Each structure stands twice: as C-alpha cells, then as structure tokens.
Amino acid sequence: MPPLSRIKDSYLTLLMTDGLFGSFEDLPTLEFSGKDSDECEGFIFAVQRTAFAQGKQRDDAWITDFVASCLTKDALRWWIKLDLETQRNWDLLRRAMDIEYQPSFQGGSGEEAEKFVQMVHRRARDAGKQGDDRWIMGLVPTCLSGEALRCIVPTPAAAVPVAPLPSSERAALAAEYKSKGNAAHQKRDYTSAIDLYSNAIAVAAVPEAVFYSNRAA
C-alpha cells in the first residue's frame, strides 16, 4: 500500500479535478489527526461551519469529501477502514467519529475526572439527553479504561446496569465494548482488553461466542 501522505495527495487531486476546490490554496486550513474527543468535537464543529459558509450544509458528498481531505495520521488510517456508505454519508460518518473518539476516563486524577464529567454533560446536552440517567449510564461505562474501569468491574456482571435497557441497546453497547477491546488488544493493553471483552459478555442480550474467543486470545 502506498504511504498515507501519497493517498491523501491523490485524493486532494481528485477533489480538484471534480471541481470541489480550485486549488490547494482554496482549501481551508483544517486537519484532524484523531488525537482525542476534544479534537474530534472541534473538528466536527469546524467542518459544519465551513460547509455552512460555502452553502453546502445539506450536501453530503461535498461535506464527506471535504472531511476526507482534512484527515491525517490515525484519523486517516481509521477512515480508510470504514465502509463506503459511512465514508459518503455525513450523518453516519459523524456518528462513527463520535463513537470512535468519545471521551475517555482512566481514573488518573481529579482534574481528569472533572474534565470527563463536563464532557459527559456536554454529550448528553448535545444529544438532548439531559436528565436521562439511563442514557448517561449507558454512555459512561463505554468511556472507561484502566483503573477507572477496574474500579467498577469487580465482576463482569457488575459492569453496567443493563436490566432496564432494551435488547437492541444492549447489543449496541456490547458491540461498542468489543470494538474498544479490539483497540486495546492492538495496543497490547491486554488487561484493559480482557476487562472490555468481559463487559461485552456481561451486557450482551444473547451470548456471543466471539466475545469469549476474543477474551481468551
């Protein structure tokens, strides 16, 4: 596979050929590297503001092409692995980014905890879920890792209160735990990966063999 920089340059050339931008100088100075949730939220806001300024706020093709032209490093690697439908649909892409780069809390300090709580409240407000304890309790466990995760998971069954959740939400939450477990495994953070796979097992509406096999790997 060619280097990511060459892939990006080729993509930008294609955008200019299609008439999206006249030249490299016409491109807004905007990049997203996939550093963390703060960068992600700022990037999404900047993209939407740019689209509005260009009169393209309802043009999915324009927005998603523009987003692709701004991605670098980990964010670009992540985007390349997405299916075409998600790459070309701004609503799906924005939701995928929101999940991939959601806030994380490792339990390292009080300052980190305060920042995490503020982020959770902001996410709830943006989703129209202020005061919805069930929605918030479904979000928080998916953001925990390291010591913070181990503090609330003495056993997998205690990871998150799943009884009130519909089967569809439990399945989505389990899939999210699995995705985070895969990411932790790739980083060789095996302890966190095991905890996350255990959470997936605990919240799944029906037993999933892949969760057990991933945890045993």
Side-chain angles (χ1 to χ4, degrees):
M1 177 180 290
L4 289 176
S5 58
R6 193 188 310 167
I7 293 175
K8 182 177 180 181
D9 288 346
S10 298
Y11 196 84
L12 292 175
T13 301
L14 178 60
L15 295 182
M16 289 189 293
T17 301
D18 287 344
L20 181 60
F21 300 108
S23 69
F24 282 104
E25 288 72 22
D26 293 330
L27 285 166
T29 304
L30 183 62
E31 285 192 350
F32 175 55
S33 65
K35 179 183 177 182
D36 55 28
S37 61
D38 286 340
E39 185 196 17
C40 182
E41 288 196 359
F43 176 69
I44 289 175
F45 175 76
V47 166
Q48 294 183 153
R49 183 173 58 184
T50 301
F52 186 82
Q54 298 290 327
K56 300 290 187 178
Q57 64 269 26
R58 300 187 184 280
D59 189 336
D60 262 16
W62 189 95
I63 296 174
T64 53
D65 281 346
F66 175 60
V67 167
S69 75
C70 298
L71 303 180
T72 65
K73 300 179 181 177
D74 288 343
L76 180 56
R77 296 185 185 91
W78 169 78
W79 178 85
I80 289 172
K81 297 175 183 178
L82 294 174
D83 61 87
L84 288 177
E85 182 182 9
T86 302
Q87 288 181 353
R88 296 173 178 176
N89 183 301
W90 175 228
D91 186 51
L92 294 178
L93 181 56
R94 185 175 53 203
R95 291 184 185 186
M97 292 173 66
D98 197 49
I99 292 173
E100 180 69 15
Y101 300 104
Q102 65 182 10
S104 175
F105 177 54
Q106 297 183 356
S109 67
E111 182 180 354
E112 183 195 8
E114 289 181 5
K115 183 178 179 181
F116 175 68
V117 170
Q118 292 172 359
M119 180 70 73
V120 169
H121 282 303
R122 187 158 64 244
R123 288 292 177 99
R125 183 192 64 235
D126 292 346
K129 299 292 185 178
Q130 306 98 312
D132 189 335
D133 290 343
R134 190 177 72 175
W135 187 91
I136 293 173
M137 288 301 295
L139 169 66
V140 169
T142 68
C143 303
L144 304 183
S145 61
E147 289 301 318
L149 179 60
R150 284 188 280 277
C151 283
I152 69 159
V153 194
T155 62
V160 60
V162 297
L165 296 179
S167 296
S168 60
E169 291 187 25
R170 291 178 63 178
L173 186 56
E176 193 159 336
Y177 276 127
K178 173 178 173 288
S179 177
K180 287 185 171 293
N182 292 344
H185 191 276
Q186 290 177 355
K187 295 176 181 177
R188 301 184 183 276
D189 184 0
Y190 300 121
T191 300
S192 293
I194 290 172
D195 288 341
L196 289 161
Y197 291 137
S198 295
N199 272 8
I201 292 169
V203 303
V206 294
E208 294 282 353
V210 67
F211 298 158
Y212 291 92
S213 62
N214 283 4
R215 186 174 65 173

